[in-house]
Amino acid sequence: MAVKKNAGTGGSRIIDTNVADEMRDSFLEYAYSVIYSRALPDARDGLKPVQRRILFQMNQMGLRPDRGHVKSARVVGEVMGRLHPHGDTAIYDALVRMAQSFSLRLPLIDGHGNFGSLDDGPAAMRYTEARLAQSAIDMTAGIDENVVDFAPNYDGREVEPLVLPAAIPNLLVNGASGIAVGMATNLAPHNLTEVINATRFLLDHPQATLDELMTFIPGPDFATGGVIIGLDGIRDAYETGRGTFKIRARAKIDQITPRKRGIVVTELPANIGPERVIERVKDLVVSKKLQGISDIVDLTDGDSGLQLVIECKSAFSPEAVLEQLYKLTPMEDSFNINAVALVEGQPVTMGLKQMIEVFIDHRINVVTRRSRFRKEVAASRLHLVDGLLIAILDIDEVIQVIRNSDDTAAARIRLMEIFDLSEIQTNYILEMPLRRLTKFSRIELDKEADQLRTTIEELDALLASEARIRTLVSTELAQVSSAHSSPRRTLLLEATGAPQVAANHSMEIADEDCVVLLSSTGLIARTTAISTEVSLDGGANSRSSHDVVVSAARATSRGELGVLTSLGNVHRISVVDIPAIPPTTGVPGLSGGAPIGAFLTLEKNESPISVLNLDSPFVLGTRNGLVKRLASTHAITRATWDVIGLEEGDSVVGAVALDDRNAQHCQLVFISAAGQLLHFPANSVRAQGRGAGGVAGMKVTDSHVIFFGVVDSKTANVVVSVSGSSQALPGTELGHGKVSEFTQYPGKGRATSGVRAHKFRSGEDTLLRAWCGPIPARAATSSGKAANLPSPDGKRDGTGVQLTHPIDAIGGPISIRLES
């Protein structure tokens, strides 16, 4: 039993009240207030009361987009003092959300200052400024034309709109969320253009089905983008008002560093910030529930947007790591649609079609009321203009009547009687200064009257035809779409959008056959082939933005490889660290490779020559004309070792894999700067140990070797040479190039000077570049850009033709058969 005491002038009165009744009544009043005045949006304008009051009051304050920002505290104070009987925190929170581009698909407030992020709150209201966005102008347009009903505010001193005119279908475009008593709402945002297209279609086809509407609105479109996985839940939500779907972060696999690949996240699910993802990933890594991640860095900024970089360990597959991130972190989240909004003051769960119909009915009502208001205004003005025309016609008599009248009341009566004017017309004439009345032009008044009559006729025709009203609503929606349209941000996928990893599948990269490629500009990469043969063939005159491949070696993705340098050193590197690129069959050069310097620490005068399989024997040639065949070096466990003892001034110029089987039909080829070419059988050179200094290959006098290689006698080979002056600056002389068939050059014995391969022109004294190998040959500049080579001329010692670009490297097709 509860007791109430009412004190009065005559004493006190005690009323006994049942506690259950009191609790019930109080709770119902509270629940009613929360549902209708705080938590649920109106289905017509998609706004909660506090949002509506903010936009209305800012419109009343004249805070339009073409005017300056004002302190947010001023807006909050005006809203709180005039319209919203709650604290300033709730008002400011609502204002902030309407200004955040990551919260609303179409922000309604133009904020200036720190309005927060997904991880951080906004600055205090005294530090931020705000004004209406252009979209809010469309939400409030025509509010002074009696298009919506008004009601007294909380203290009855002012009035506020019960709903905004809302030329934008805001409920669908920006969505809504709120928790009331015994119910809640959660609507996803959508693309404005898609929603308006569907609305216009429904205006023209009121019996349209849900499937027809979904051809225009295939699914939500979140402000933060993301990827929606599975569309069944979306259709359920559009049909019944309730549905669930999954939304994933948008991520790509990229080369984070020259040695490591990783995951770059550019979009996250709605209401998920990067700090939340980082915290979760760190917890999983510490607890060893997630493997393969070496670092995670947030590089998000205002210019490039969200960029969350997750670096993967070399031995782990980034694709598998990404799938685990979707499974274990907020990078994949569920979104539950519960489309509850107020319809005629009652909370209703609505499907897609019903939400659009409510908006259409609202806009038809707004346009109808606006047209009636404008008609009344036009009719009132026409009534005054007709009175002015009468007064202008007999202006002198009007003045005489006024002068001869005892007072205003008498003048009013006499004017109404003499000129047959209404009281409104008479008052307007009497209140108008005489100087203005005499300046009125009868022609101008006649023109205005005609325009007013035309306007009234058009408004009458509009109000008499529902079809015309619907057409006008559709036209205005098209204008809104044109003004505020933006591309879709959220990707819709029918099923899983990322590779699925079986429960028993290892996240580590599989040990599979691959080919490691080294380019002329020092890029290194690994690739697998679609077939069992990798072929890089650019053609003699192919154009590509990539440099030529100068060396290739067979390997396994979890194995090791050797890089032979000009100083005769072999550096061991892990193949898994080398960036992987797509299969390159038929594609010349490299794309996506990493600089070799990221894997090796080379001396100032040391450069990479070739990549070698440590299990395979190979042959090398030096600048001084030495040649050496070596067995495999897989037994060496050091990170770096030498494979030839070089004299001072000597260096390795070429190295190629060569075993005993291939040596039987291969030729070793030397080309010197003096324009001489020597080739002899590969099996004429015996294999030596690692510490040996090699044997004489080519005799060079006052010159040096610029090319060493191996050619297969079973294939068609060409010799490419570029002549020029040794005094010219490197890379500045075009030179003369020549391509001739290898069969034009007779073989000579080892340790001889060979035969002339290029005849120098006047002013030339050296070969700038030379190469011998299978057709077709391909050249590149120092920047890696493809350069044209002349066609084969059939002359062994010709002078060649003028080149169009300085050539820095020459290569040819590389064919390596992988193990099945």
Side-chain angles (χ1 to χ4, degrees):
M1 187 74 67
V3 178
K4 290 184 178 180
K5 293 184 177 182
N6 294 337
T9 56
S12 61
R13 184 163 57 93
I14 299 176
I15 301 176
D16 294 335
T17 304
N18 187 284
V19 174
D21 294 339
E22 179 68 20
M23 291 294 293
R24 180 191 62 200
D25 294 343
S26 299
F27 181 77
L28 287 177
E29 290 180 6
Y30 168 75
Y32 181 89
S33 175
V34 172
I35 293 173
Y36 296 98
S37 302
R38 293 176 66 180
L40 297 184
D42 192 295
R44 294 170 292 180
D45 61 7
L47 297 173
K48 299 178 184 179
V50 63
Q51 297 171 322
R52 186 179 304 113
R53 289 163 179 163
I54 291 172
L55 296 180
F56 172 70
Q57 187 58 42
M58 292 182 71
N59 184 68
Q60 295 297 99
M61 294 169 65
L63 303 181
R64 302 177 63 84
D66 56 351
R67 300 182 182 179
H69 296 80
V70 301
K71 287 287 188 182
S72 299
R74 178 183 170 189
V75 176
V76 172
E78 289 288 327
V79 174
M80 183 170 58
R82 293 177 179 271
L83 304 174
H84 198 63
H86 298 284
D88 57 351
T89 301
I91 300 173
Y92 185 53
D93 287 346
L95 185 150
V96 166
R97 187 176 185 277
M98 288 193 291
Q100 292 173 333
S101 59
F102 54 84
S103 294
L104 296 190
R105 186 62 178 83
L106 182 66
L108 300 174
I109 290 179
D110 178 13
H112 182 69
N114 178 15
F115 277 80
S117 66
L118 287 167
D119 295 309
D120 299 316
M125 67 180 78
R126 62 183 178 273
Y127 298 121
T128 61
E129 298 178 337
R131 65 183 177 187
L132 292 176
Q134 186 59 49
S135 54
I137 300 300
D138 293 328
M139 291 289 292
T140 58
I143 199 168
D144 297 328
E145 297 181 290
N146 192 32
V147 294
V148 294
D149 294 330
F150 283 73
N153 68 335
Y154 63 91
D155 60 5
R157 297 181 181 180
E158 300 190 32
V159 293
E160 61 176 317
L162 297 178
V163 66
L164 293 185
I168 296 173
N170 185 62
L171 184 66
L172 278 169
V173 172
N174 281 325
S177 62
I179 301 176
V181 178
M183 63 182 64
T185 184
N186 195 36
L187 290 101
H190 294 78
N191 185 272
L192 172 69
T193 302
E194 295 176 357
V195 173
I196 287 182
N197 288 341
T199 304
R200 297 184 66 194
F201 181 80
L202 192 59
L203 275 166
D204 296 334
H205 307 85
Q207 304 302 321
T209 64
L210 176 61
D211 290 334
E212 290 176 325
L213 294 178
M214 287 188 66
T215 60
F216 299 96
I217 309 178
D221 187 23
F222 291 94
T224 54
V227 182
I228 293 178
I229 306 299
L231 306 183
D232 292 340
I234 294 176
R235 196 186 193 290
D236 292 339
Y238 287 169
E239 185 173 10
T240 66
R242 298 178 184 271
T244 302
F245 56 85
K246 291 183 178 181
I247 180 170
R248 281 183 169 181
R250 187 174 296 198
K252 61 180 180 179
I253 309 299
D254 205 350
Q255 197 71 35
I256 305 303
T257 68
R259 302 189 65 170
K260 291 186 178 181
R261 298 173 70 206
I263 302 166
V264 179
V265 181
T266 56
E267 296 174 4
L268 286 172
N271 304 319
I272 302 296
E275 288 188 10
R276 181 176 168 187
V277 175
I278 293 173
E279 182 179 357
R280 179 58 177 164
V281 169
K282 288 182 177 179
D283 291 341
L284 291 170
V285 171
V286 171
S287 62
K288 297 183 178 180
K289 295 181 180 178
L290 180 61
Q291 297 179 338
I293 294 178
S294 59
D295 195 11
I296 179 169
V297 182
D298 185 9
L299 301 180
T300 302
D301 59 42
D303 295 329
S304 60
L306 176 66
Q307 191 171 20
L308 188 61
V309 179
I310 303 173
E311 187 176 295
C312 298
K313 295 179 180 178
S314 298
F316 287 79
S317 168
E319 292 79 6
V321 173
L322 177 59
E323 185 67 18
Q324 291 299 306
L325 288 171
Y326 285 139
K327 180 179 180 181
L328 301 175
T329 72
M331 284 177 57
E332 178 176 286
D333 197 17
S334 294
F335 192 94
N336 301 314
I337 292 181
N338 186 23
V340 179
L342 297 177
V343 179
E344 297 182 356
Q346 300 296 322
V348 177
T349 301
M350 297 179 292
L352 177 64
K353 183 177 181 180
Q354 186 177 0
M355 284 188 281
I356 298 177
E357 288 174 339
V358 170
F359 174 75
I360 288 176
D361 292 341
H362 173 59
R363 285 303 298 172
I364 290 176
N365 182 56
V366 166
V367 171
T368 302
R369 293 181 60 166
R370 184 185 66 194
S371 301
R372 289 173 181 167
F373 177 83
R374 291 177 178 177
K375 175 187 173 184
E376 293 173 359
V377 171
S380 298
R381 176 61 184 171
L382 179 60
H383 186 59
L384 296 177
V385 170
D386 288 339
L388 287 175
L389 285 171
I390 294 174
I392 287 293
L393 185 63
D394 298 307
I395 184 65
D396 294 334
E397 186 175 354
V398 169
I399 295 174
Q400 188 67 30
V401 168
I402 296 175
R403 291 182 60 185
N404 294 334
S405 299
D406 296 333
D407 52 25
T408 303
R412 179 185 300 110
I413 294 173
R414 292 189 62 191
L415 287 174
M416 292 173 61
E417 291 176 349
I418 296 174
F419 297 102
D420 194 22
L421 299 173
S422 68
E423 185 175 356
I424 295 176
Q425 291 172 322
T426 304
N427 289 336
Y428 185 71
I429 294 172
L430 289 173
E431 293 172 359
M432 181 177 294
L434 184 62
R435 59 182 174 82
R436 291 189 57 195
L437 184 64
T438 57
K439 288 184 179 181
F440 270 108
S441 169
R442 179 183 179 88
I443 296 176
E444 293 179 354
L445 288 175
D446 284 335
K447 183 178 180 181
E448 182 181 1
D450 292 338
Q451 291 176 346
L452 289 171
R453 291 189 182 93
T454 301
T455 299
I456 293 172
E457 290 176 359
E458 292 175 351
L459 291 173
D460 282 335
L462 177 65
L463 291 170
S465 172
E466 182 181 355
R468 289 190 178 185
I469 292 178
R470 297 176 77 91
T471 300
L472 179 58
V473 170
S474 179
T475 301
E476 292 179 351
L477 285 174
Q479 295 172 353
V480 169
S481 176
S482 176
H484 305 293
S485 64
S486 62
R488 164 171 280 276
R489 300 177 186 174
T490 302
L491 179 65
L492 304 176
L493 296 179
E494 287 284 355
T496 303
Q500 293 289 336
V501 179
N504 59 351
H505 189 280
S506 174
M507 293 174 59
E508 296 185 0
I509 296 176
D511 191 15
E512 58 184 358
D513 290 334
C514 64
V515 176
V516 177
L517 309 170
L518 179 66
S519 76
S520 61
T521 56
L523 297 179
I524 189 170
R526 60 181 169 91
T527 183
T528 57
I530 299 175
S531 64
T532 59
E533 184 172 315
V534 173
S535 178
L536 301 175
D537 187 353
N541 295 312
S542 66
R543 287 289 185 179
S544 171
S545 61
H546 311 304
D547 48 2
V548 297
V549 174
V550 296
S551 179
R554 180 175 55 82
T556 59
S557 56
R558 296 185 62 82
E560 292 182 319
L561 198 76
V563 178
L564 176 64
T565 69
S566 59
L567 297 185
N569 297 323
V570 174
H571 298 260
R572 186 190 303 271
I573 60 175
S574 296
V575 177
V576 73
D577 291 338
I578 300 174
I581 60 175
T584 56
T585 300
V587 181
L590 295 186
S591 175
I596 191 69
F599 304 87
L600 306 177
T601 301
L602 302 177
E603 297 182 13
K604 185 178 180 180
N605 60 339
E606 186 177 17
S607 59
I609 297 299
S610 65
V611 289
L612 301 168
N613 187 311
L614 298 179
D615 294 333
S616 301
F618 60 95
V619 61
L620 61 84
T622 73
R623 174 185 172 91
N624 290 344
L626 297 178
V627 61
K628 180 178 180 179
R629 288 183 60 186
L630 294 95
S632 64
T633 57
H634 69 278
I636 301 177
T637 59
R638 298 195 301 272
T640 303
W641 66 94
D642 60 336
V643 293
I644 185 173
L646 295 174
E647 296 180 356
E648 185 177 354
D650 199 5
S651 61
V652 177
V653 295
V656 183
L658 181 70
D659 56 27
D660 292 335
R661 180 183 57 182
N662 294 331
Q664 297 178 4
H665 50 79
C666 286
Q667 295 281 313
L668 304 184
V669 181
F670 285 88
I671 303 177
S672 71
Q676 296 291 117
L677 182 148
L678 171 67
H679 69 87
F680 51 87
N683 56 12
S684 65
V685 179
R686 299 178 58 182
Q688 294 178 302
R690 184 179 64 84
V695 297
M698 182 180 191
K699 181 180 179 181
V700 288
T701 303
D702 298 328
S703 184
H704 60 275
V705 174
I706 62 173
F707 171 81
F708 170 79
V710 179
V711 297
D712 189 338
S713 302
K714 296 180 178 180
T715 62
N717 301 289
V718 292
V719 176
V720 182
S721 55
V722 179
S723 61
S725 172
S726 59
Q727 303 302 315
L729 292 175
T732 62
E733 188 173 12
L734 296 178
H736 291 82
K738 182 174 70 73
V739 179
S740 18
E741 296 179 359
F742 179 69
T743 55
Q744 299 291 324
Y745 299 85
K748 297 291 183 179
R750 184 171 60 83
T752 64
S753 58
V755 298
R756 189 168 68 176
H758 195 111
K759 183 179 180 180
F760 296 135
R761 291 172 179 257
S762 176
E764 298 179 339
D765 60 357
T766 186
L767 286 186
L768 302 175
R769 296 285 180 269
W771 177 85
C772 180
I775 59 172
R778 182 174 180 269
T781 64
S782 59
S783 64
K785 183 179 180 181
N788 289 334
L789 287 174
S791 301
D793 59 5
K795 296 180 181 180
R796 176 174 64 84
D797 59 347
T799 58
V801 297
Q802 181 75 51
L803 298 176
T804 58
H805 296 86
I807 291 178
D808 185 72
I810 307 170
I814 298 175
S815 181
I816 296 181
R817 185 166 298 278
L818 301 178
E819 298 295 338
S820 301

